[in-house]
Amino acid sequence: MTEIIIIRHGETEWNKTGRFQGQSDVPLSPEGHAQAALLGQHLDVDHADAFYASDLIRTMETAAPLAARLGLTVVPDSALRELHFGAWEGRFFSEINTEDPETLKHFYRDPEHANIPDSEDFSVFQKRIAGRVRTIAAEHRGERVIIVSHGAAIRILIADILAMPIRSIWHVSQLNTAVNCIRFEDDGFAVLTRMNDVAHLRAGTVQ
């Protein structure tokens, strides 16, 4: 059995103010750093064999405290990045909604067919994320691996594991520093065993 623990990054100012981040390299907010510290201190994991993260700063900053406690080096991996939102990157949700409410509504109801200029196709995005995670699982057979990635990336991975249509991804909650666990059997069969768990944040007060 191989265990993949995949965690969403901590809060950023763009999360707080409602902006599309995508592959823009946005650092954690002060609260995001506090969340990462609580994750590092209180996640109920006492060892792991490898640690990967998207190479963007918000994921690397989130990974650092937990990796330090476990004595691991974080491997940055661009294949674990968030969806590229194209022309929407850096823009406020409210701004897009004012300009083009139908396209934004379509994005949430049927993202695979949303018309976002210059954005990454959702089916390509799913193949990138799910393919990389399955490759990591195969390379670390019988081990426990921690990955820090992004909200949409984790949602679309869960959709792949559960054979859900891509249009369902926004029905899956992923809070900042949410912990998810996937068990891979030797034949590649995958089981989701934990989802959107932020119990570590209740172990202390986020300032």
Side-chain angles (χ1 to χ4, degrees), residues 1-3 137-138 141-142 182-191:
M1 184 192 76
T2 305
E3 185 179 31
R141 182 172 293 183
I182 303 165
R183 186 181 75 239
F184 284 91
E185 305 296 346
D186 287 346
D187 63 358
F189 186 80
V191 178

Side-chain angles (χ1 to χ4, degrees), residues 4-23:
I4 299 291
I5 300 173
I6 187 162
I7 303 167
R8 188 187 177 198
H9 63 78
E11 184 199 74
T12 70
E13 291 296 335
W14 285 22
N15 287 146
K16 187 183 296 186
T17 57
R19 296 172 71 177
F20 285 97
Q21 292 185 114
Q23 295 187 12

